[in-house]
PDB file of all heavy atoms in Angstrom:
ATOM      1  N   CYS A  99     180.425 150.292 -58.693  1.00 95.00           N
ATOM      2  CA  CYS A  99     180.902 149.516 -59.843  1.00 95.00           C
ATOM      3  C   CYS A  99     179.804 149.360 -60.894  1.00 95.00           C
ATOM      4  O   CYS A  99     180.077 149.392 -62.098  1.00 95.00           O
ATOM      5  CB  CYS A  99     181.397 148.139 -59.391  1.00 95.00           C
ATOM      6  SG  CYS A  99     182.975 148.181 -58.518  1.00 95.00           S
ATOM      7  N   GLU A 100     178.575 149.187 -60.440  1.00 96.00           N
ATOM      8  CA  GLU A 100     177.451 149.079 -61.376  1.00 96.00           C
ATOM      9  C   GLU A 100     177.292 150.377 -62.165  1.00 96.00           C
ATOM     10  O   GLU A 100     177.088 150.360 -63.388  1.00 96.00           O
ATOM     11  CB  GLU A 100     176.161 148.765 -60.625  1.00 96.00           C
ATOM     12  CG  GLU A 100     174.966 148.567 -61.554  1.00 96.00           C
ATOM     13  CD  GLU A 100     173.657 148.417 -60.811  1.00 96.00           C
ATOM     14  OE1 GLU A 100     173.465 149.129 -59.802  1.00 96.00           O
ATOM     15  OE2 GLU A 100     172.827 147.599 -61.237  1.00 96.00           O
ATOM     16  N   MET A 101     177.401 151.493 -61.475  1.00 97.00           N
ATOM     17  CA  MET A 101     177.290 152.793 -62.129  1.00 97.00           C
ATOM     18  C   MET A 101     178.418 152.978 -63.153  1.00 97.00           C
ATOM     19  O   MET A 101     178.193 153.450 -64.273  1.00 97.00           O
ATOM     20  CB  MET A 101     177.355 153.903 -61.074  1.00 97.00           C
ATOM     21  CG  MET A 101     177.024 155.298 -61.604  1.00 97.00           C
ATOM     22  SD  MET A 101     177.273 156.571 -60.328  1.00 97.00           S
ATOM     23  CE  MET A 101     176.289 155.890 -58.982  1.00 97.00           C
ATOM     24  N   LEU A 102     179.619 152.566 -62.765  1.00 97.00           N
ATOM     25  CA  LEU A 102     180.771 152.690 -63.661  1.00 97.00           C
ATOM     26  C   LEU A 102     180.611 151.786 -64.880  1.00 97.00           C
ATOM     27  O   LEU A 102     180.901 152.198 -66.010  1.00 97.00           O
ATOM     28  CB  LEU A 102     182.052 152.338 -62.906  1.00 97.00           C
ATOM     29  CG  LEU A 102     183.361 152.407 -63.704  1.00 97.00           C
ATOM     30  CD1 LEU A 102     183.570 153.799 -64.296  1.00 97.00           C
ATOM     31  CD2 LEU A 102     184.545 152.029 -62.820  1.00 97.00           C
ATOM     32  N   LEU A 103     180.126 150.573 -64.668  1.00 97.00           N
ATOM     33  CA  LEU A 103     179.947 149.636 -65.781  1.00 97.00           C
ATOM     34  C   LEU A 103     178.894 150.146 -66.763  1.00 97.00           C
ATOM     35  O   LEU A 103     179.064 150.026 -67.983  1.00 97.00           O
ATOM     36  CB  LEU A 103     179.549 148.259 -65.245  1.00 97.00           C
ATOM     37  CG  LEU A 103     179.402 147.154 -66.300  1.00 97.00           C
ATOM     38  CD1 LEU A 103     180.715 146.949 -67.054  1.00 97.00           C
ATOM     39  CD2 LEU A 103     178.952 145.847 -65.653  1.00 97.00           C
ATOM     40  N   GLN A 104     177.820 150.716 -66.260  1.00 97.00           N
ATOM     41  CA  GLN A 104     176.790 151.282 -67.136  1.00 97.00           C
ATOM     42  C   GLN A 104     177.363 152.413 -67.983  1.00 97.00           C
ATOM     43  O   GLN A 104     177.061 152.527 -69.176  1.00 97.00           O
ATOM     44  CB  GLN A 104     175.616 151.793 -66.297  1.00 97.00           C
ATOM     45  CG  GLN A 104     174.773 150.695 -65.679  1.00 97.00           C
ATOM     46  CD  GLN A 104     173.697 151.229 -64.750  1.00 97.00           C
ATOM     47  OE1 GLN A 104     173.672 152.418 -64.416  1.00 97.00           O
ATOM     48  NE2 GLN A 104     172.801 150.364 -64.310  1.00 97.00           N
ATOM     49  N   LEU A 105     178.193 153.217 -67.363  1.00 97.00           N
ATOM     50  CA  LEU A 105     178.822 154.328 -68.068  1.00 97.00           C
ATOM     51  C   LEU A 105     179.769 153.812 -69.155  1.00 97.00           C
ATOM     52  O   LEU A 105     179.787 154.327 -70.283  1.00 97.00           O
ATOM     53  CB  LEU A 105     179.582 155.199 -67.066  1.00 97.00           C
ATOM     54  CG  LEU A 105     180.000 156.609 -67.495  1.00 97.00           C
ATOM     55  CD1 LEU A 105     178.808 157.418 -67.977  1.00 97.00           C
ATOM     56  CD2 LEU A 105     180.683 157.321 -66.333  1.00 97.00           C
ATOM     57  N   ILE A 106     180.530 152.777 -68.829  1.00 97.00           N
ATOM     58  CA  ILE A 106     181.469 152.193 -69.795  1.00 97.00           C
ATOM     59  C   ILE A 106     180.717 151.540 -70.952  1.00 97.00           C
ATOM     60  O   ILE A 106     181.112 151.667 -72.116  1.00 97.00           O
ATOM     61  CB  ILE A 106     182.388 151.175 -69.095  1.00 97.00           C
ATOM     62  CG1 ILE A 106     183.361 151.915 -68.168  1.00 97.00           C
ATOM     63  CG2 ILE A 106     183.168 150.342 -70.106  1.00 97.00           C
ATOM     64  CD1 ILE A 106     184.170 151.009 -67.270  1.00 97.00           C
ATOM     65  N   ASN A 107     179.621 150.855 -70.649  1.00 97.00           N
ATOM     66  CA  ASN A 107     178.824 150.226 -71.715  1.00 97.00           C
ATOM     67  C   ASN A 107     178.233 151.276 -72.655  1.00 97.00           C
ATOM     68  O   ASN A 107     178.187 151.073 -73.876  1.00 97.00           O
ATOM     69  CB  ASN A 107     177.714 149.371 -71.109  1.00 97.00           C
ATOM     70  CG  ASN A 107     178.240 148.094 -70.479  1.00 97.00           C
ATOM     71  OD1 ASN A 107     179.333 147.635 -70.819  1.00 97.00           O
ATOM     72  ND2 ASN A 107     177.487 147.512 -69.569  1.00 97.00           N
ATOM     73  N   SER A 108     177.783 152.383 -72.094  1.00 97.00           N
ATOM     74  CA  SER A 108     177.250 153.472 -72.925  1.00 97.00           C
ATOM     75  C   SER A 108     178.356 154.061 -73.793  1.00 97.00           C
ATOM     76  O   SER A 108     178.149 154.367 -74.974  1.00 97.00           O
ATOM     77  CB  SER A 108     176.643 154.564 -72.040  1.00 97.00           C
ATOM     78  OG  SER A 108     175.541 154.076 -71.319  1.00 97.00           O
ATOM     79  N   TYR A 109     179.523 154.197 -73.205  1.00 98.00           N
ATOM     80  CA  TYR A 109     180.687 154.720 -73.934  1.00 98.00           C
ATOM     81  C   TYR A 109     181.046 153.797 -75.102  1.00 98.00           C
ATOM     82  O   TYR A 109     181.234 154.244 -76.234  1.00 98.00           O
ATOM     83  CB  TYR A 109     181.860 154.842 -72.961  1.00 98.00           C
ATOM     84  CG  TYR A 109     183.192 155.138 -73.597  1.00 98.00           C
ATOM     85  CD1 TYR A 109     183.603 156.446 -73.825  1.00 98.00           C
ATOM     86  CD2 TYR A 109     184.064 154.105 -73.948  1.00 98.00           C
ATOM     87  CE1 TYR A 109     184.838 156.717 -74.399  1.00 98.00           C
ATOM     88  CE2 TYR A 109     185.293 154.364 -74.524  1.00 98.00           C
ATOM     89  CZ  TYR A 109     185.675 155.673 -74.744  1.00 98.00           C
ATOM     90  OH  TYR A 109     186.896 155.929 -75.321  1.00 98.00           O
ATOM     91  N   ASN A 110     181.123 152.498 -74.823  1.00 97.00           N
ATOM     92  CA  ASN A 110     181.496 151.533 -75.862  1.00 97.00           C
ATOM     93  C   ASN A 110     180.434 151.402 -76.948  1.00 97.00           C
ATOM     94  O   ASN A 110     180.735 150.977 -78.068  1.00 97.00           O
ATOM     95  CB  ASN A 110     181.759 150.162 -75.236  1.00 97.00           C
ATOM     96  CG  ASN A 110     183.072 150.103 -74.470  1.00 97.00           C
ATOM     97  OD1 ASN A 110     184.000 150.865 -74.746  1.00 97.00           O
ATOM     98  ND2 ASN A 110     183.154 149.213 -73.500  1.00 97.00           N
ATOM     99  N   SER A 111     179.189 151.741 -76.617  1.00 97.00           N
ATOM    100  CA  SER A 111     178.099 151.569 -77.590  1.00 97.00           C
ATOM    101  C   SER A 111     178.123 152.616 -78.703  1.00 97.00           C
ATOM    102  O   SER A 111     177.476 152.440 -79.737  1.00 97.00           O
ATOM    103  CB  SER A 111     176.743 151.615 -76.873  1.00 97.00           C
ATOM    104  OG  SER A 111     176.468 152.923 -76.399  1.00 97.00           O
TER     105      SER A 111
END
Side-chain angles (χ1 to χ4, degrees):
C99 287
E100 183 187 39
M101 189 185 307
L102 180 58
L103 183 60
Q104 288 175 350
L105 196 55
I106 290 171
N107 288 338
S108 296
Y109 170 88
N110 286 335
S111 70

